Amino acid sequence: MISAPDVVAFTREEELEDELCSEPPLPEEYSVPLFPFASHGTNPWAKVASSKFTRDFILISEFSEQVGPQPLLTIPDDARVPGTFDLNYFSLRIMSVDYQASFVGHPPGAAYPKLNFVEDSKVVLGDSKEGAFAYVHHLTLYDLEARGFVRPFCMAYISADEHKIMQQFQELSAEFSKASECLKTGNRKAFANELEKKLKDLDYTRTVLHNETEIQKKANDKGYYTTQAIEKANELASVEKSIIEHQDLLKQIRSYPYRKLKESDFHPYEPECAPDQADAGCAQDLPTSDLAEPDETPLYAHVPSYTPKLIKAKSAKCFDKKLKTLEELCDIYFFTQTLDQLHQIERTFRGDVCYLLTEQISRALLKQQSVTNFLFEDVSLLDEKPPEKQHGGCQGLGQDAVDGKCSEEPPAPKVVISLGSYKSSVECVPIKMEQEIEDPQEPKMTESVTFEQQENLDYLDADIGGSISSGESIEVLGTEKSASGLPKSESQASLPVSPSPQAGRSKVGSRRTVSEDSIEVLSTCPSESLIPEDFKASYPSAINEEPYADDEEGGLRFTPKLNPDDADEQEDVSKQENLVQVDSACCIGKESPSFLEPLADLGQKPCDEDGVVRIPPQPYRQAEQGLRGSLGGFPSHDGISGGLLPYELDSRYLTGSREVSKSSLDECSDSTSYISSATSTCSDRTPSPAHPACPVSERHKKKAGQNALRFIRQYPFAHPAIYSLLSGRTLIVLGEEEAIVKKLVTALSIFVPNCGVYAKPVKHWVTSPLHVVDFQKWKLIGLQRMVSPAGVNVLHALSRYSRYVSILDADSKTLRCPLYKGTLVSRLADHRTQIKRGSTYYMHVQSVLTQLCSKAFLFTFCHHLHLPISEREPEESVVNRRMNFLKLQLGLANEDIKIVQYLAELLKLQYVQEPGQGANPLLRFDYVPSFLYKI
Amino acid sequence: MLRWLIGGGREPQGLAEKSSVQTIGEEQIQNPYTELLVLKGHQDIVRFLVQIDDCRFASAGDDGIVFLWNAQTGEKLFELHGHTHKITAIAPFSSSDVSEDKKHLILTASADRTVIVWDCSSGRQVQKVSCFHSTVKCLTVLQRLDVWLSGGSDLCVWNRKLNLMCKTSHLTDAGISALLELPKNCIAAAVGKELIIFRLIASNDESEGWNVLEVKRLVDHQDNILSLVSINGKGCFSMLLVLLLIVWDALDWTKQASECNFWDSSVHPDAQPEIKLSQSPNETSVQHITSDEECVFAAVGKGIYVYNLQMKRVIACQRTAHDSSVLHIEKLPNRQLISCSEDGSVRIWELREKQQLPAEPVPTGFFNMWGFGRANKQVNQAAKKMQENTPMYVLELVGDLIGHSSAVQMFLYFGELGLATCSADHLIILWKDGERESRLRSLTLFQKLAQNGDLQLKF
């Protein structure tokens, strides 16, 4: 709901020129420096190093023991997506930075091969030459035939937008972990299966060999063993040994430490498909039963009886055989589940990063609006627990919501090295690289991490970092330890870092010199792994893993100021920071009480529920800077009022952000390779939910928006129709053709307020006569018009209940409903609107409705508007006060009052309603005359 | 409306307009009921509503189930199962014991020839009487004597403990259709066309016992008596009214007045002839009567008649108040009258003096759906009546409640709390004043806020 109505990039050059010519030149400090690459005819949002692929995609590669790194599949599975992008090359790149110490085999001192349950490793890679940035998720799968029983795989989310990868790191990590877990679960299952088969084979072989030996023994009565016999005996012995080994492996795979799963944030993948329940149940029962009775043989009941094969003593050379495909490696069911999951991820993260951020921010904010959010929001989104939200309820609601993205585990991609460079939100501690790179603590510096002194100084001066790549080497800027706790691998070159004392420094963007042929590891994620000891000193928060232990840690947070809990402290800070903004920050408090002020203050009370609506996603980082106190001009978000005082808000906002943007632009103007945060213009800009929540609903929104737009343009009486919906009068769309009616219903459904936290009160298609109960339940009904006698009954019923309904006749294009003379709907549904896209219009509607909600909230929760101040006060004066408030304070005219009143009633019902029982559905109506509108 | 829906819309004269039933537009300023709550539960026609106390009522119908409802919230309190057939009579029976808390009981009689006593506070069956030879058609509680009577084919008198005190001999096969308490321990029972007066006499041997004695039979009615009502008029006067509105003196059982021909041309010289005798007897019989000190209100067929006791004539009437038979009427304290009908609507009438009529503005903006702002062709009947000289009063339609899809059997007026209507469509609808409800919700909202500690009032 909260979203920028229509963010349009200012890209057309002629407009820019016109403006420059006509307007007197701005003072230097206000002038916007032209984008350095503007001369190339590109817009500032275009990427500098344009990538060869058109949109984000997911790549699965394998480090094959036979042919080396190779791409397996891409999602979406469309050759056009990667385009000319060299997948093979990129696979090689991403597979070459696997830091998992996936040590499997015979450890010294162990009799049998040991399986090592390694954690996945998560790294962010950048290849600035290719213009590709990737979140890479390494995982290993078990394969009995593979070397060391493991096959290393990786899943990579590849995007041209570095910022997207960095900022969405947590989300990507969480989602990919799920996918990986699914894959691995299936793999364990398949591996155990394979082992069992192998064991049976071996058993059979042993029996055969045994028999043969016996026969030979019998046949041989000479008293000495033939070479053949000795061979057989050896063979038998090796088979025996092999059996023991395999049994041990089976035991190991069954005793997979599920404990880890329980502790960690991701759970074994739970398939949702109903038809597969049995299978899923089986898979889930597996761990427990296996742990309990590891020796129980009939593991998989549904595995058909297997006829053992004789195993040759000498197994085939590993290059002779064909390696199992990924599908074979994992159970087919789990494989498809994983693919689904990956498709989901692709859909989720598709589009520009600013959409994702906006989506996430608005979602987080909506969570805070616990009182009003049910009205127009998608119920499914509200109910759903965000996957990122992992920690317990120790934080307040608001905090949880805002920091939803900031997951507990790896506190931001932990730009362990970061060279103080990535001023993505990923890093919120301004980390400055120490001058002495050759830190004594870190003697094992890889050669690759060499810096030219010049560059080094350069970025230290500006405090704008960039990973400066050198030569052809792969820069490894940071890494992690795997869970096995092995000594750091050689490639780890973690630079010592220390929190910068100069908190005020603004860091804008990252700057990276384009290297010839380099791949940069921008950050790695110490997933569940240990953080090297030497980091602990300098990065305490990272080790303790206490999220929000200090503000600096919440990397992906929108801004700490959003937290109501923090608000009080923040208030002080902001007051000190800038006295100009004092009054803007005056209304920070716990949710509602501030609205219960005496009337006179009401207009001045900004609503913190709504305030952040106007913050576009771009100031995201600037806001952070503002917080650091360097600029100080940015108003606290709490102080920004939503619908009440927009003018004040805007001016404040402008003064605040002007400075910020100026400085940031200054900063970036001298950077030669500035990459805008809004890069991937060429990728599909369809906003997608930041969640893997419901792509269907997203499509639905888009469609509904489009249809609504069409409706508004087509029907001159759209306003009274929408007014009917908003004021709770049931609108019936009457028509003969189901498709037309349903289309209209879909279009109009975006205006229907929910009556509770259940589904929207919309019924798409009804063929039977309506009753009064239906109007109680449904606020938007599609009704079939029939010519049969039954149809006459339907119409009779409609005519009978005409006072409760507005009727939109889709066939004759007429509308019968009460008159509307307000102003609100015309803003909501302007038929001359410039908005073209359905999704944009949907967002526009949502934002207007949010304002409406905040008005309704104010109205509902103002004590004196509903109840007398003193006992003697007559009811009339309360009514007067109420009407005055609606008219003067909320600026509502005529019928708009009824809309707010209706929403207020819904809010009351929702609030008063006991959690256990559903609210009694009420039907409120007015005795107002209806009019007939025609085109 | 309908015509517009069907698609014609060309002809200005719709079918509805030809009907002589007075209609009111969609703008009903005086209609306070702007909120409704549908109570679902019954599976068959709901025929009876009875008030238990200030905020509770019971409903019963053909499904044999009795429901107890909260009139304020619409909450279903109890579901009383016990009868196997449809319920034929229901009566509240509150204990007169001052010592203990007031105990609310209800009596229900059913076609399964039983009477069950229910406890309203626990929702449990207190006792069941099943020794009837016929269906009990009416129940009356004589609060004063602490006994109750059941009327079927005979009249039985019961005490609180459900002991049969006495009973009459078999009166009729059809059964007693109505019972009414009269002064001096007398009871009037409507049996067919007859009205029988019984007197309860305390038996000599026991203090508790009663004997019932037939005192008089009144046989002036020409048709079955459907309704009896007492008029607590002036002083000791108490009257009962029966079919074709005969006002009887309750003390000496003499006929005080009678009004037989409601549709007679003497009352309304311009009466339409088709209503006269051509109609079936059922439609011209008195369905229900109610009264206040001055007037008797009778629902006759489709019409409502107001009979003034002092003037001894009909002072106001609405011959076609509804599209179909009026089933129940009730007088409200504020000179308003509510009627419900088989046509599924409930209408609110106001008894206005005729002189005030010109001053009363016909609701402005009274448009119908056939076009913008075009006033309804139909002329308000009130205006027409101004020319008539006989009745001094007129029944003005001030609002109608449409919600039921079938005949509205009965309604119960709860004053401020609203109005409960029950219908053959198995539903009970609570009609409420939206303004008041909104205020109440605000009140609960702030109470809850205070409870949750969210509320810090800053004065």
Side-chain angles (χ1 to χ4, degrees):
Chain A
M1 179 186 281
I2 302 168
S3 40
D6 205 7
V7 185
V8 178
F10 184 64
T11 52
R12 290 169 59 189
E13 249 167 273
E14 58 271 17
E15 280 175 11
L16 185 74
E17 276 162 14
D18 282 354
E19 224 168 75
L20 285 176
C21 296
S22 58
E23 305 260 322
L26 283 166
E28 182 60 31
E29 65 267 29
Y30 291 119
S31 68
V32 181
L34 288 172
F35 188 68
F37 297 95
S39 55
H40 302 151
T42 56
N43 65 52
W45 284 268
K47 287 182 293 293
V48 178
S50 58
S51 58
K52 290 173 180 159
F53 50 93
T54 51
R55 54 186 278 195
D56 299 356
F57 63 97
I58 294 170
L59 171 69
I60 300 181
S61 337
E62 183 201 357
F63 199 109
S64 162
E65 60 193 54
Q66 291 174 352
V67 296
Q70 58 169 355
L72 293 181
L73 55 102
T74 58
I75 293 167
D77 193 13
D78 184 355
R80 282 171 302 176
V81 170
T84 56
F85 186 66
D86 191 347
L87 289 176
N88 278 307
Y89 176 76
F90 201 74
S91 294
L92 173 68
R93 289 288 158 165
I94 57 180
M95 288 310 287
S96 60
V97 283
D98 183 7
Y99 300 111
Q100 319 185 73
S102 46
F103 183 85
V104 182
H106 284 272
Y112 309 121
K114 282 267 179 280
L115 286 180
N116 208 347
F117 299 114
V118 286
E119 300 298 335
D120 299 349
S121 76
K122 305 154 185 177
V123 285
V124 173
L125 294 169
D127 189 338
S128 34
K129 188 189 165 202
E130 295 278 333
F133 299 90
Y135 165 85
V136 185
H137 195 106
H138 292 282
L139 70 151
T140 46
L141 298 178
Y142 301 113
D143 184 357
L144 202 54
E145 289 153 24
R147 192 176 60 196
F149 304 128
V150 289
R151 306 259 305 262
F153 284 92
C154 88
M155 301 181 285
Y157 185 88
I158 300 164
S159 168
D161 185 0
E162 171 196 352
H163 296 271
K164 184 195 236 172
I165 302 288
M166 293 306 266
Q167 290 175 354
Q168 303 295 316
F169 187 88
Q170 292 309 309
E171 289 82 355
L172 282 169
S173 162
E175 294 305 314
F176 273 101
S177 295
K178 275 189 215 158
S180 154
E181 208 48 52
C182 179
L183 216 50
K184 288 200 286 189
T185 311
N187 174 241
R188 278 193 300 273
K189 190 179 162 185
F191 187 61
N193 256 343
E194 203 187 354
L195 275 173
E196 288 195 334
K197 281 184 192 170
K198 185 74 180 279
L199 274 174
K200 279 181 188 157
D201 288 349
L202 287 169
D203 205 42
Y204 176 70
T205 314
R206 184 177 61 180
T207 326
V208 171
L209 282 175
H210 194 74
N211 288 345
E212 282 178 11
T213 329
E214 288 300 309
I215 292 163
Q216 275 189 348
K217 266 188 194 164
K218 277 177 195 158
N220 168 35
D221 39 6
K222 292 171 193 159
Y224 61 92
Y225 294 112
T226 60
T227 46
Q228 207 183 5
I230 291 168
E231 238 172 54
K232 278 275 182 264
N234 280 342
E235 214 171 296
L236 191 62
S238 78
V239 168
E240 297 273 5
K241 188 177 177 245
S242 187
I243 287 175
I244 295 170
E245 275 180 13
H246 280 85
Q247 274 169 347
D248 191 66
L249 279 176
L250 187 61
K251 207 167 154 188
Q252 283 180 51
I253 195 76
R254 280 171 176 172
S255 63
Y256 174 77
Y258 285 97
R259 154 194 71 80
K260 265 183 209 155
L261 294 181
K262 277 165 209 149
E263 284 169 9
S264 71
D265 52 330
F266 39 79
H267 305 279
Y269 191 81
E270 291 179 25
E272 285 130 6
C273 305
D276 295 316
Q277 278 301 329
D279 199 11
C282 163
Q284 265 155 47
D285 293 340
L286 195 99
T288 43
S289 64
D290 283 355
L291 282 175
E293 308 128 289
D295 290 332
E296 201 183 26
T297 8
L299 235 190
Y300 300 104
H302 64 274
V303 173
S305 58
Y306 173 70
T307 25
K309 293 188 296 273
L310 188 66
I311 292 180
K312 292 268 169 55
K314 296 281 177 277
S315 62
K317 284 279 176 291
C318 77
F319 286 101
D320 298 343
K321 62 177 190 272
K322 193 176 167 289
L323 283 175
K324 286 199 188 67
T325 62
L326 188 56
E327 202 171 331
E328 288 163 355
L329 218 46
C330 309
D331 189 272
I332 179 74
Y333 167 76
F334 286 93
F335 180 71
T336 46
Q337 285 290 329
T338 311
L339 280 190
D340 287 350
Q341 168 80 2
L342 289 176
H343 275 288
Q344 184 82 284
I345 293 174
E346 195 273 327
R347 273 196 298 267
T348 305
F349 291 95
R350 180 190 291 179
D352 198 293
V353 68
C354 77
Y355 280 113
L356 294 176
L357 286 176
T358 315
E359 192 69 35
Q360 284 165 358
I361 291 163
S362 59
R363 194 184 307 278
L365 291 170
L366 272 173
K367 286 259 182 327
Q368 295 182 8
Q369 295 184 311
S370 53
V371 178
T372 56
N373 59 11
F374 75 94
L375 277 177
F376 290 103
E377 287 313 313
D378 202 336
V379 186
S380 57
L381 295 184
L382 295 173
D383 285 348
E384 183 196 352
K385 242 182 140 183
E388 315 95 306
K389 192 175 146 187
Q390 289 148 0
H391 41 84
C394 52
Q395 320 284 337
L397 168 80
Q399 177 140 9
D400 265 352
V402 169
D403 297 334
K405 310 176 213 162
C406 195
S407 78
E408 181 179 57
E409 283 272 313
K414 198 61 70 184
V415 187
V416 209
I417 25 63
S418 94
L419 303 174
S421 61
Y422 295 97
K423 180 58 210 114
S424 54
S425 63
V426 155
E427 162 223 41
C428 61
V429 184
I431 300 168
K432 195 189 74 165
M433 202 189 75
E434 305 242 341
Q435 206 91 14
E436 319 80 55
I437 302 171
E438 291 81 18
D439 195 297
Q441 285 180 12
E442 198 66 18
K444 266 249 163 191
M445 182 69 76
T446 43
E447 45 156 357
S448 61
V449 197
T450 53
F451 298 91
E452 293 174 22
Q453 194 62 22
Q454 176 56 41
E455 281 180 15
N456 200 351
L457 285 174
D458 183 20
Y459 75 73
L460 280 173
D461 280 350
D463 210 338
I464 298 170
S467 65
I468 300 116
S469 55
S470 61
E472 285 201 47
S473 68
I474 293 167
E475 273 181 78
V476 179
L477 302 175
T479 183
E480 57 157 0
K481 275 183 166 180
S482 77
S484 51
L486 290 171
K488 247 189 292 174
S489 69
E490 279 206 355
S491 55
Q492 281 179 312
S494 36
L495 297 176
V497 287
S498 66
S500 165
Q502 305 102 310
R505 287 212 183 175
S506 62
K507 300 157 171 264
V508 177
S510 60
R511 198 177 45 158
R512 173 178 306 112
T513 53
V514 180
S515 65
E516 279 294 298
D517 180 10
S518 76
I519 190 152
E520 298 136 71
V521 180
L522 302 180
S523 78
T524 68
C525 170
S527 55
E528 284 162 48
S529 62
L530 309 173
I531 288 171
E533 281 299 311
D534 41 348
F535 284 162
K536 286 189 177 170
S538 60
Y539 223 108
S541 59
I543 286 99
N544 295 338
E545 299 210 346
E546 285 173 281
Y548 330 120
D550 50 355
D551 259 355
E552 297 169 335
E553 209 201 49
L556 283 173
R557 230 183 270 193
F558 173 52
T559 157
K561 284 215 168 186
L562 277 175
N563 303 341
D565 296 338
D566 287 352
D568 291 358
E569 305 151 45
Q570 300 292 345
E571 184 184 9
D572 296 337
V573 178
S574 64
K575 271 183 183 166
Q576 287 166 5
E577 277 175 7
N578 73 82
L579 291 166
V580 195
Q581 300 300 327
V582 167
D583 56 345
S584 77
C586 70
C587 172
I588 304 165
K590 307 281 181 283
E591 293 198 352
S592 46
S594 54
F595 307 117
L596 304 167
E597 295 278 328
L599 247 183
D601 287 346
L602 276 168
Q604 313 299 322
K605 289 295 170 192
C607 165
D608 65 351
E609 301 265 323
D610 193 18
V612 207
V613 177
R614 286 155 192 277
I615 310 298
Q618 289 92 337
Y620 188 67
R621 56 185 57 187
Q622 293 160 0
E624 231 169 45
Q625 290 160 5
L627 281 179
R628 305 218 173 278
S630 64
L631 300 156
F634 204 77
S636 87
H637 297 287
D638 306 274
I640 296 169
S641 81
L644 279 183
L645 302 164
Y647 45 91
E648 195 187 324
L649 165 94
D650 284 346
S651 63
R652 268 196 272 133
Y653 170 63
L654 280 175
T655 51
S657 59
R658 179 69 60 84
E659 269 183 55
V660 177
S661 53
K662 173 190 160 282
S663 68
S664 67
L665 280 165
D666 278 350
E667 300 273 3
C668 80
S669 62
D670 63 353
S671 96
T672 48
S673 63
Y674 176 69
I675 300 170
S676 149
S677 67
T679 320
S680 51
T681 40
C682 53
S683 60
D684 186 359
R685 283 187 57 190
T686 311
S688 56
H691 271 271
C694 35
V696 184
S697 135
E698 192 59 35
R699 209 176 307 129
H700 171 81
K701 277 181 194 172
K702 195 173 163 185
K703 215 173 109 194
Q706 196 59 52
N707 285 341
L709 211 50
R710 204 169 298 139
F711 173 74
I712 288 159
R713 294 212 175 101
Q714 249 174 28
Y715 293 83
F717 47 75
H719 289 185
I722 292 170
Y723 161 69
S724 281
L725 291 172
L726 285 176
S727 60
R729 191 179 167 107
T730 302
L731 180 73
I732 289 170
V733 181
L734 187 67
E736 276 172 35
E737 279 192 45
E738 186 170 352
I740 294 171
V741 171
K742 278 189 170 170
K743 208 172 187 177
L744 272 173
V745 170
T746 314
L748 289 165
S749 64
I750 62 173
F751 301 105
V752 181
N754 286 339
C755 298
V757 285
Y758 309 107
K760 273 212 176 247
V762 176
K763 183 93 180 157
H764 281 81
W765 188 243
V766 175
T767 51
S768 54
L770 296 169
H771 285 277
V772 74
V773 189
D774 298 317
F775 309 130
Q776 226 175 1
K777 217 177 340 175
W778 310 113
K779 294 297 170 197
L780 178 59
I781 304 174
L783 183 67
Q784 186 182 25
R785 181 207 294 275
M786 285 182 296
V787 274
S788 63
V792 173
N793 278 343
V794 169
L795 297 181
H796 264 292
L798 212 52
S799 134
R800 177 176 180 80
Y801 296 118
S802 61
R803 67 176 57 177
Y804 304 121
V805 292
S806 300
I807 301 166
L808 176 66
D809 191 329
D811 299 332
S812 62
K813 300 223 182 329
T814 50
L815 173 75
R816 186 185 172 276
C817 79
L819 199 64
Y820 174 73
K821 294 192 294 288
T823 55
L824 217 151
V825 176
S826 58
R827 256 198 309 137
L828 191 66
D830 184 4
H831 67 277
R832 282 175 306 219
T833 179
Q834 296 298 312
I835 298 172
K836 299 274 190 303
R837 299 171 65 96
S839 49
T840 316
Y841 181 69
Y842 183 83
M843 284 192 264
H844 168 70
V845 168
Q846 290 291 68
S847 75
V848 174
L849 292 179
T850 308
Q851 277 191 9
L852 200 56
C853 279
S854 66
K855 285 180 182 179
F857 178 83
L858 267 184
F859 176 67
T860 315
F861 286 88
C862 279
H863 182 268
H864 302 330
L865 297 181
H866 304 281
L867 302 172
I869 294 173
S870 66
E871 283 183 17
R872 286 183 304 280
E873 194 181 25
E875 182 57 34
E876 291 83 57
S877 74
V878 180
V879 171
N880 277 340
R881 196 161 52 219
R882 188 157 57 217
M883 289 323 272
N884 273 340
F885 178 83
L886 286 168
K887 279 179 188 154
L888 305 176
Q889 306 277 357
L890 294 183
L892 299 170
N894 305 324
E895 277 80 14
D896 293 341
I897 290 175
K898 278 193 186 153
I899 297 177
V900 171
Q901 277 175 335
Y902 173 67
L903 295 182
E905 288 304 318
L906 290 180
L907 288 180
K908 282 183 209 169
L909 281 170
Q910 178 69 16
Y911 191 88
V912 168
Q913 180 202 342
E914 296 298 324
Q917 68 204 48
N920 270 326
L922 285 173
L923 178 61
R924 287 172 63 79
F925 49 92
D926 294 306
Y927 297 104
V928 287
S930 286
F931 294 88
L932 186 70
Y933 293 86
K934 288 173 185 162
I935 282 192
Chain B
M1 173 71 190
L2 189 62
R3 191 141 297 256
W4 168 71
L5 284 171
I6 288 168
R10 305 277 181 267
E11 299 159 63
Q13 288 289 324
L15 284 167
E17 279 182 309
K18 283 175 187 156
S19 139
S20 58
V21 175
Q22 182 180 351
T23 54
I24 184 164
E26 285 171 327
E27 197 168 351
Q28 302 176 8
I29 302 157
Q30 284 175 294
N31 191 343
Y33 302 109
T34 55
E35 194 173 301
L36 66 83
L37 200 57
V38 177
L39 311 182
K40 283 190 270 190
H42 284 287
Q43 277 130 39
D44 209 334
I45 300 175
V46 192
R47 291 189 189 272
F48 303 100
L49 293 176
V50 63
Q51 186 166 357
I52 295 162
D53 54 18
D54 287 343
C55 66
R56 287 188 297 171
F57 69 94
S59 66
D62 287 2
D63 55 2
I65 310 167
V66 180
F67 286 95
L68 294 190
W69 306 92
N70 183 328
Q72 171 58 41
T73 61
E75 192 188 347
K76 191 191 290 174
L77 301 170
F78 294 110
E79 204 173 320
L80 312 179
H81 291 272
H83 289 297
T84 54
H85 285 74
K86 66 175 188 176
I87 287 168
T88 50
I90 183 167
F93 190 17
S94 52
S95 70
S96 50
D97 284 351
V98 193
S99 56
E100 55 185 292
D101 288 338
K102 206 163 185 191
K103 204 173 169 188
H104 294 287
L105 300 174
I106 44 173
L107 303 168
T108 55
S110 159
D112 59 6
R113 297 184 186 180
T114 57
V115 170
I116 296 180
V117 185
W118 308 92
D119 183 356
C120 293
S121 47
S122 67
R124 264 185 304 222
Q125 182 176 328
V126 178
Q127 210 164 344
K128 187 171 183 176
V129 187
S130 50
C131 59
F132 295 97
H133 300 298
S134 67
T135 302
V136 175
K137 289 210 175 143
C138 51
L139 291 166
T140 301
V141 175
L142 303 184
Q143 218 45 266
R144 199 162 39 85
L145 305 175
D146 205 23
V147 294
W148 58 274
L149 303 132
S150 67
S153 60
D154 49 10
L155 182 72
C156 303
V157 183
W158 308 80
N159 70 358
R160 171 165 292 277
K161 297 186 184 93
L162 268 78
N163 295 323
L164 181 63
M165 314 292 290
C166 57
K167 62 188 276 187
T168 62
S169 57
H170 184 81
L171 293 166
T172 166
D173 285 332
I176 297 170
S177 59
L179 279 173
L180 186 69
E181 183 187 0
L182 299 176
K184 297 185 185 169
N185 293 353
C186 288
I187 297 129
V191 182
K193 293 178 184 175
E194 284 182 331
L195 192 62
I196 306 174
I197 311 290
F198 294 100
R199 177 169 278 163
L200 289 177
I201 301 161
S203 59
N204 304 326
D205 47 347
E206 272 180 67
S207 59
E208 288 282 308
W210 294 95
N211 282 322
V212 68
L213 194 75
E214 187 179 324
V215 182
K216 188 166 183 177
R217 281 181 187 242
L218 307 170
V219 286
D220 287 314
H221 288 284
Q222 295 147 24
D223 205 343
N224 287 335
I225 301 171
L226 291 172
S227 185
L228 289 173
V229 71
S230 73
I231 305 164
N232 293 314
K234 295 170 181 147
C236 59
F237 257 83
S238 204
M239 293 179 234
L240 52 109
L241 294 160
V242 280
L243 174 74
L244 299 191
L245 200 66
I246 299 174
V247 183
W248 300 90
D249 191 308
L251 292 173
D252 52 11
W253 310 301
T254 54
K255 203 192 286 186
Q256 290 279 312
S258 69
E259 184 65 50
C260 303
N261 299 313
F262 284 119
W263 50 88
D264 195 273
S265 54
S266 67
V267 182
H268 305 294
D270 60 342
Q272 288 145 352
E274 71 266 17
I275 316 175
K276 259 195 165 176
L277 295 168
S278 59
Q279 296 188 331
S280 69
N282 188 39
E283 280 184 39
T284 53
S285 64
V286 176
Q287 292 284 331
H288 189 248
I289 41 183
T290 185
S291 71
D292 63 358
E293 288 83 5
E294 300 166 13
C295 300
V296 175
F297 304 90
V300 184
K302 294 176 183 176
I304 299 169
Y305 294 83
V306 183
Y307 182 82
N308 191 298
L309 292 168
Q310 269 152 359
M311 289 182 256
K312 295 200 175 175
R313 64 185 181 88
V314 172
I315 54 163
C317 74
Q318 193 61 256
R319 270 156 293 153
T320 48
H322 285 271
D323 284 327
S324 135
S325 302
V326 180
L327 295 176
H328 195 88
I329 53 172
E330 204 165 306
K331 175 77 169 60
L332 307 190
N334 52 358
R335 291 190 71 78
Q336 283 187 344
L337 185 72
I338 300 181
S339 64
C340 68
S341 152
E342 274 178 358
D343 63 6
S345 67
V346 176
R347 292 186 165 204
I348 306 166
W349 308 87
E350 192 165 291
L351 190 63
R352 288 186 181 144
E353 280 189 47
K354 212 173 142 191
Q355 291 93 301
Q356 293 171 340
L357 265 174
E360 287 289 334
V362 174
T364 51
F366 176 51
F367 305 116
N368 75 347
M369 63 297 296
W370 279 276
F372 296 95
R374 194 152 54 84
N376 196 342
K377 282 271 168 64
Q378 185 172 13
V379 187
N380 203 323
Q381 278 198 340
K384 214 191 274 174
K385 287 220 193 72
M386 281 168 59
Q387 276 79 43
E388 300 171 4
N389 44 12
T390 28
M392 281 171 63
Y393 294 89
V394 74
L395 276 176
E396 179 92 23
L397 182 64
V398 294
D400 60 347
L401 308 176
I402 294 172
H404 289 292
S405 55
S406 185
V408 181
Q409 296 287 336
M410 197 182 172
F411 60 88
L412 203 56
Y413 179 68
F414 268 96
E416 265 209 311
L417 247 50
L419 185 75
T421 57
C422 68
S423 157
D425 60 3
H426 313 178
L427 298 179
I428 299 167
I429 297 183
L430 272 182
W431 302 85
K432 287 160 172 294
D433 182 352
E435 287 290 312
R436 183 177 172 274
E437 292 302 310
S438 171
R439 219 160 48 234
L440 286 176
R441 275 195 287 272
S442 284
L443 197 63
T444 22
L445 174 86
F446 288 107
Q447 277 165 358
K448 189 168 177 185
L449 272 175
Q451 263 177 22
N452 296 358
D454 295 338
L455 186 65
Q456 296 161 5
L457 279 178
K458 292 173 195 166
F459 287 106

